[in-house]
Amino acid sequence: EPEVTQTPSHQVTQMGQEVILRCVPISNHLYFYWYRQILGQKVEFLVSFYNNEISEKSEIFDDQFSVERPDGSNFTLKIRSTKLEDSAMYFCASSGQSSYNSPLHFGNGTRLTVT
Amino acid sequence: AQSVTQLDSHVSVSEGTPVLLRCNYSSSYSPSLFWYVQHPNKGLQLLLKYTSAATLVKGINGFEAEFKKSETSFHLTKPSAHMSDAAEYFCVVRNTGNQFYFGTGTSLTVIP
């Protein structure tokens, strides 16, 4: 069964550094998402992406964040200048267009640790 | 507007006893509903989805959920809990704009 893949599984970075989290969604999906989950807390929506543009973003997704789909297969989340509070598990997800009932398919996540 | 409320942040059951994880939704139209499970240090896995074809939905690992429009509920059940069911469970509603709204999650503990 096709799956969403995320790399790396764990990223450690220093405060103020830029990080890029990478995702390869399921190939025939058209809707792409990033979520994050701070340790022990709920899953928080960051951004959704469709037709090569952001369709919705949350308050968390400020100017330090950006997303890109550079080559038709990868979907990346960039954090320009990381802060300690960016430490979290980041999940990429994709969804098909075939029906309103198409679920989210998640990757296994990237654990980002900002020191 | 859509929203999801998971009524219990923690549920604890004995192995072999029934599981009930409660979810209520708010939606201005017939919703699309899902349950996901997250095992420790893992990603989110789809358990089941409501497709409007049947109000009782069967998912993986013996889980079921019943859509009750009159009660705006989509509770998750399992007749007999197994140790491997210990995890975090999320109820999710999708709107027509392709946005997904997550409940705050229910942590299930299974006591041997």
Side-chain angles (χ1 to χ4, degrees), chain A residues 71-91:
Chain A
D71 56 12
S73 64
N74 290 284
F75 179 51
T76 61
L77 174 69
K78 182 192 290 185
I79 308 174
R80 289 190 184 81
S81 177
T82 51
K83 303 185 285 288
L84 293 176
E85 54 265 39
D86 293 328
S87 295
M89 195 76 161
Y90 288 81
F91 292 105

Side-chain angles (χ1 to χ4, degrees), chain B residues 19-31:
Chain B
V19 175
L20 170 64
L21 305 183
R22 297 182 293 168
C23 172
N24 285 93
Y25 68 90
S26 171
S27 177
S28 54
Y29 46 83
S30 184

Side-chain angles (χ1 to χ4, degrees), chain A:
Chain A
E1 183 176 328
E3 57 183 30
V4 176
T5 56
Q6 289 185 245
T7 55
S9 57
H10 194 181
Q11 174 88 50
V12 181
T13 189
Q14 289 188 328
M15 192 168 53
Q17 296 296 305
E18 175 183 286
V19 294
I20 297 176
L21 310 183
R22 303 180 191 280
C23 170
V24 178
I26 294 173
S27 62
N28 62 347
H29 282 184
L30 297 180
Y31 301 93
F32 313 111
Y33 306 81
W34 282 101
Y35 290 83
R36 80 172 186 190
Q37 186 179 34
I38 295 171
L39 186 63
Q41 298 187 22
K42 65 179 182 179
V43 177
E44 299 176 292
F45 169 72
L46 291 178
V47 66
S48 59
F49 192 87
Y50 170 72
N51 200 25
N52 287 319
E53 62 182 22
I54 291 173
S55 49
E56 189 165 335
K57 59 183 180 179
S58 72
E59 292 179 352
I60 302 169
F61 195 88
D62 61 21
D63 292 343
Q64 293 299 313
F65 290 87
S66 62
V67 289
E68 196 176 36
R69 188 158 162 79
D71 56 12
S73 64
N74 290 284
F75 179 51
T76 61
L77 174 69
K78 182 192 290 185
I79 308 174
R80 289 190 184 81
S81 177
T82 51
K83 303 185 285 288
L84 293 176
E85 54 265 39
D86 293 328
S87 295
M89 195 76 161
Y90 288 81
F91 292 105
C92 174
S94 67
S95 179
Q97 66 160 359
S98 59
S99 76
Y100 171 53
N101 296 312
S102 181
L104 281 171
H105 296 260
F106 284 89
N108 284 330
T110 294
R111 181 171 298 283
L112 177 65
T113 302
V114 182
T115 61

